[in-house]
Amino acid sequence: MKPIYYFLFLFLFFHINAVSQDQEEQNVKVNAQLWLDYNFQNDLGDFKTLNSFVGYRSITPNIYNNFLVVSTYNIANQNSVKFLKREKPFFNSYHFGARANYIANKNKKDDFEFRLMQGIKFYLPFIKDVPLMNYIRLEERFQKTFDTSGWDIGFRFRYKISTVLDLDQHLFNFTTGFYIPMNVEFFFNLKKVDRFNDVIRISPGIGYKLNEDWKFEFYVSYQNTQNTSQTENTSNDFVFRLRIFKLSSKKNKTIQSKDEQIKELIE
């Protein structure tokens, strides 16, 4: 079976399983979520890119459908701090982005959320065999319910550490094949909003790079979330996520080492 059909089969399996659940009984303590997103990249210059994705997320028991659009402006850092005496910069890149969510609720008014994001990425310099990418970002969140209430504003830090393991153990390069993406993300809410105050997300997965233009990733994640609307409660979610990537393949792209190719797989 070709890899693209394999991922589509998994997506359909979990979607059919989700909608077959009893939609009348809602348990906010333990949920299953289905996420699907399409990712693409535009090159804006030698060291600047615009990464975007459109996504759909549902939750069962049947509570809401979430439609989202995200864009991030990325700047690769070329300047090393002199006193660290490093050949390469400590911070790999800077990121500025925005995100919009429309949440179609089943039993109450719909919600809208808009976010602004600023972040940095860097690798742990003393670990070479397994690249560990660190992503730190600040988010400003603006939520609105389509009723008579006003805007709810919140702030939070997010810290994610990610890696990719070469499943096929290529010796010199990684152009196609299976790999294992893994990440853990922590959320620090400086000021909570009413909904989606995540605490931790643990995401092991499996990926396949089809060629220089396409890759696919499938995750089974655990997520803990706190909400503050009405009465504060906590939910534990199991997320099944399929990600489709349209990669940016430059015609005059320089030849990369295997380590550089592996790092390009880490988001």
Side-chain angles (χ1 to χ4, degrees):
M1 179 182 293
K2 292 183 178 181
I4 187 171
Y5 297 128
Y6 173 74
F7 284 107
L8 290 175
F9 170 78
L10 287 173
F11 169 71
L12 290 173
F13 171 79
F14 288 112
H15 179 69
I16 293 171
N17 182 66
V19 298
S20 65
Q21 301 271 347
D22 185 356
Q23 298 181 355
E24 294 182 357
E25 297 182 2
Q26 296 188 6
N27 180 7
V28 298
K29 297 299 182 182
V30 180
N31 301 306
Q33 295 196 34
L34 176 68
W35 295 6
L36 173 66
D37 51 76
Y38 174 71
N39 303 258
F40 51 96
Q41 177 177 301
N42 295 310
D43 293 310
L44 304 178
D46 291 337
F47 307 110
K48 301 179 180 66
T49 60
L50 183 67
N51 285 31
S52 305
F53 80 80
V54 292
Y56 164 77
R57 299 176 180 180
S58 68
I59 187 169
T60 182
N62 195 20
I63 299 174
Y64 64 77
N65 293 307
N66 187 354
F67 305 91
L68 60 153
V69 179
V70 183
S71 284
T72 306
Y73 179 64
N74 314 297
I75 304 172
N77 184 24
Q78 302 299 307
N79 299 317
S80 179
V81 180
K82 293 182 179 180
F83 74 86
L84 293 178
K85 297 181 180 180
R86 289 174 49 87
E87 294 182 1
K88 295 183 178 180
F90 180 76
F91 295 114
N92 290 75
S93 54
Y94 305 101
H95 305 265
F96 306 91
R99 167 173 169 165
N101 292 59
Y102 184 89
I103 300 97
N105 294 301
K106 299 299 180 179
N107 299 311
K108 59 180 183 179
K109 298 289 186 179
D110 293 348
D111 298 312
F112 176 78
E113 179 173 341
F114 178 74
R115 301 181 193 176
L116 295 174
M117 303 171 287
Q118 310 85 40
I120 55 174
K121 290 183 179 180
F122 62 93
Y123 287 92
L124 296 179
F126 51 84
I127 299 178
K128 296 181 179 180
D129 295 334
V130 179
L132 295 175
M133 189 200 72
N134 300 265
Y135 185 16
I136 301 174
R137 58 177 153 166
L138 173 66
E139 290 184 335
E140 299 86 29
R141 309 177 64 191
F142 307 89
Q143 289 184 350
K144 177 72 172 73
T145 300
F146 290 96
D147 55 15
T148 57
S149 62
W151 288 87
D152 187 25
I153 301 175
F155 305 92
R156 72 179 178 187
F157 275 107
R158 298 173 64 164
Y159 169 65
K160 182 170 69 173
I161 184 166
S162 309
T163 190
V164 162
L165 302 179
D166 177 7
L167 189 61
D168 294 330
Q169 295 298 307
H170 297 77
L171 294 177
F172 302 108
N173 56 39
F174 188 98
T175 54
T176 63
F178 283 98
Y179 59 93
I180 300 176
M182 297 181 292
N183 64 75
V184 179
E185 188 165 15
F186 302 92
F187 302 80
F188 304 94
N189 292 289
L190 305 178
K191 181 181 183 299
K192 291 183 178 180
V193 288
D194 280 347
R195 294 162 294 282
F196 309 122
N197 293 294
D198 300 323
V199 178
I200 187 173
R201 184 182 300 149
I202 304 171
S203 303
I206 185 168
Y208 185 83
K209 187 176 180 183
L210 184 63
N211 50 43
E212 292 297 323
D213 295 319
W214 296 95
K215 72 174 182 177
F216 307 88
E217 294 178 355
F218 180 75
Y219 294 87
V220 179
S221 305
Y222 164 77
Q223 176 176 280
N224 179 266
T225 301
Q226 290 182 348
N227 293 312
T228 59
S229 56
Q230 296 179 354
T231 60
E232 185 163 338
N233 57 70
T234 300
S235 67
N236 296 288
D237 299 339
F238 293 92
V239 179
F240 304 96
R241 184 179 191 181
L242 175 62
R243 309 199 70 187
I244 302 171
F245 293 83
K246 176 65 172 69
L247 305 176
S248 175
S249 55
K250 300 179 181 177
K251 292 182 180 180
N252 300 321
K253 192 173 183 179
T254 58
I255 298 176
Q256 295 177 307
S257 66
K258 177 185 173 181
D259 290 340
E260 290 172 329
Q261 293 171 352
I262 290 292
K263 285 183 177 181
E264 275 200 347
L265 298 172
I266 304 176
E267 188 187 16

